[in-house]
Amino acid sequence: MTSSSSNYSDSIQNYRFDVFISFRGVDIRNSFVDHLYAHFIRKGLFVFKDDKRLEKGESISEQLLQAIKDSRISIIVFSENYASSSWCLEEMAAIFDCKQQLKQTVFPVFYDVDPSHLRYQCGVYQNDFDLHRRKKFKHDPDKIRRWETAMTDLANSAGWDVRNRYVVLRLFYSLSFAEFIAYHMFECILNLI
């Protein structure tokens, strides 16, 4: 085998999942995310969606971190309460690491949140970060900085702003916005293969 073909085969990553979906369950588990997930499944994609409800204080599992690494694409659905969960913020930071180190494709979805609030951690996101900073992680400022860096970068990525989803739904009539996003992400996945 030539060295160039060896380098090519070394650079190909075997993916266990086509898509990893990161979301805050209390906000959108039984609506937007379920529609997105169902549409991906109908298209024949392998999707990881963590359905466990975690107890306060639990840390992100190695299995979940591996699922993020084993995914071709990650979708982060930023919602109003996303940053209140240290688990979600850890997922987001792990996804950011995969974007940086493994060149994973990441699509942010801004579900009823202003993307600028994520970029600058202001509005409701400021309250959540202040709470993490004062109480939960006051002895670990590096963790907060890591989350802020990841969130700012990801919020600056091209994604979907779903603040005015009712207008968008009228535009697409019977096609739900989740299906619309899933369709476009499916097209992106096909282009990556």
Side-chain angles (χ1 to χ4, degrees):
M1 184 185 302
T2 67
S3 77
S4 64
S5 63
S6 175
N7 290 340
Y8 176 74
S9 64
D10 291 344
S11 68
I12 297 174
Q13 180 173 343
N14 292 323
Y15 296 102
R16 189 167 167 214
F17 303 102
D18 295 307
V19 180
F20 180 95
I21 303 174
S22 175
F23 63 98
R24 178 75 167 125
V26 296
D27 288 346
I28 52 178
R29 178 186 312 278
N30 296 319
S31 58
F32 181 79
V33 169
D34 282 347
H35 291 293
L36 191 63
Y37 177 81
H39 190 73
F40 283 146
I41 296 300
R42 281 194 302 274
K43 291 288 188 184
L45 297 177
F46 293 102
V47 181
F48 187 94
K49 178 183 78 144
D50 185 30
D51 283 325
K52 288 197 299 184
R53 288 174 173 77
L54 298 170
E55 298 300 318
K56 289 183 180 185
E58 283 190 50
S59 60
I60 191 166
S61 72
E62 285 300 317
Q63 187 177 23
L64 191 60
L65 289 172
Q66 193 60 48
I68 293 168
K69 290 177 186 172
D70 290 345
S71 297
R72 181 182 306 277
I73 291 176
S74 283
I75 299 169
I76 304 174
V77 184
F78 291 109
S79 56
E80 185 176 350
N81 292 304
Y82 189 90
S84 67
S85 166
S86 58
W87 179 278
C88 286
L89 293 172
E90 280 297 311
E91 267 185 20
M92 177 200 64
I95 290 168
F96 173 71
D97 291 343
C98 288
K99 177 186 175 201
Q100 299 294 104
Q101 297 163 10
L102 304 175
K103 306 301 179 209
Q104 185 180 82
T105 302
V106 179
F107 292 109
V109 176
F110 307 102
Y111 190 88
D112 279 344
V113 294
D114 185 332
S116 70
H117 290 180
L118 281 79
R119 284 184 200 105
Y120 306 109
Q121 291 85 49
C122 62
V124 68
Y125 279 70
Q126 179 179 0
N127 297 338
D128 291 333
F129 272 87
D130 286 346
L131 184 64
H132 291 309
R133 197 175 281 110
R134 281 192 324 267
K135 293 190 178 181
K136 297 179 185 177
F137 299 99
K138 65 181 175 184
H139 299 295
D140 195 358
D142 290 339
K143 183 180 287 285
I144 303 291
R145 279 192 289 281
R146 180 173 175 252
W147 293 343
E148 289 170 336
T149 299
M151 184 173 281
T152 298
D153 178 87
L154 295 167
N156 281 317
S157 302
W160 285 272
D161 187 344
V162 194
R163 279 180 287 170
N164 200 348
R165 63 186 180 280
Y166 300 109
V167 171
V168 174
L169 284 173
R170 277 188 241 128
L171 291 173
F172 295 102
Y173 301 108
S174 63
L175 185 64
S176 79
F177 197 70
E179 289 172 334
F180 172 73
I181 289 173
Y183 172 79
H184 284 283
M185 288 183 189
F186 180 71
E187 294 296 315
C188 292
I189 292 168
L190 290 178
N191 289 332
L192 291 173
I193 296 174

